[in-house]
Each structure stands twice: as structure tokens, then as C-alpha cells.
Amino acid sequence: AKIIEIAKRLSLQATRGGAGGERLCEKHQEALKLFCEEDQTPICLVCRESQAHRVHAVVPIEEAAEEHKEKFQTHVQILKDRREKLLGLKTAEEGKSL
């Protein structure tokens, strides 16, 4: 039963995916080509003209994805540096305790 449920969800996602793997707006069934900076959500061209997003800053979704990817990479590097520092401190403390 669980496998059937998962298969149904996957087929539903594939149907929503549209041609070329593009995700579709649930409200308008249009491709999500824009990213609303204020709401931090992908939107379609119809949503862009709606009252909800008309005055919001909007960028192409590819541009937003690249920008977020760069931010994530920066954060990952910071976390890697912190991890290395903590591992060094741990090693030093283990040496002291021995």
C-alpha cells in the first residue's frame, strides 16, 4: 500500500512537472519562470501581474537560483572552516588529557 501511495505521488509530481521538467504554478498551470524576492517563492508570469506580486521585486528564476547557490556555497565554506577549527581544538584537548 505504501509503494502504491508513493507511486501515485510520483506520477502526480511528474504530471505537474510539465515539459522539460519545468514546475508549474498550481494556480495557473503556467511554468514557474520568475522568483519573487519578497515572498522568496517561484511564480509564473500570470502571478507576476496579479495584485499579490505586482509591486514585489522579481528576478528570473535561473538568476535567483544562481544567487542562492552562491550564498549556500559561502555558508558551507564557513561551516567547513568552523568544523576544521573545532576538530583541531578537539585533537589538542585529547592530547592534553593523555
Side-chain angles (χ1 to χ4, degrees):
K2 284 216 174 244
I3 292 173
I4 292 171
E5 182 182 332
I6 291 169
K8 284 180 182 178
R9 274 193 263 147
L10 288 174
S11 68
L12 182 60
Q13 288 174 354
T15 303
R16 286 187 198 161
E22 286 185 331
R23 291 177 39 209
L24 298 179
C25 174
E26 290 182 13
K27 190 173 184 179
H28 304 108
Q29 298 304 310
E30 296 284 331
L32 298 171
K33 296 186 179 230
L34 301 171
F35 187 79
C36 177
E37 294 283 349
E38 188 166 322
D39 293 332
Q40 293 291 296
T41 186
I43 61 173
C44 71
L45 294 171
V46 178
C47 287
R48 171 67 176 119
E49 297 305 317
S50 70
Q51 285 292 120
H53 300 281
R54 188 174 295 155
V55 296
H56 295 173
V58 173
V59 295
I61 201 161
E62 296 86 8
E63 186 179 315
E66 189 62 35
E67 187 177 311
H68 282 83
K69 181 180 174 182
E70 290 171 7
K71 286 180 183 178
F72 285 135
Q73 287 174 340
T74 301
H75 289 293
V76 166
Q77 188 59 47
I78 290 168
L79 291 173
K80 283 181 180 179
D81 293 343
R82 286 183 183 173
R83 181 177 183 267
E84 289 300 317
K85 184 178 178 181
L86 289 173
L87 287 174
L89 291 172
K90 177 184 172 201
T91 304
E93 290 301 316
E94 285 174 347
K96 286 180 186 178
S97 68
L98 290 175

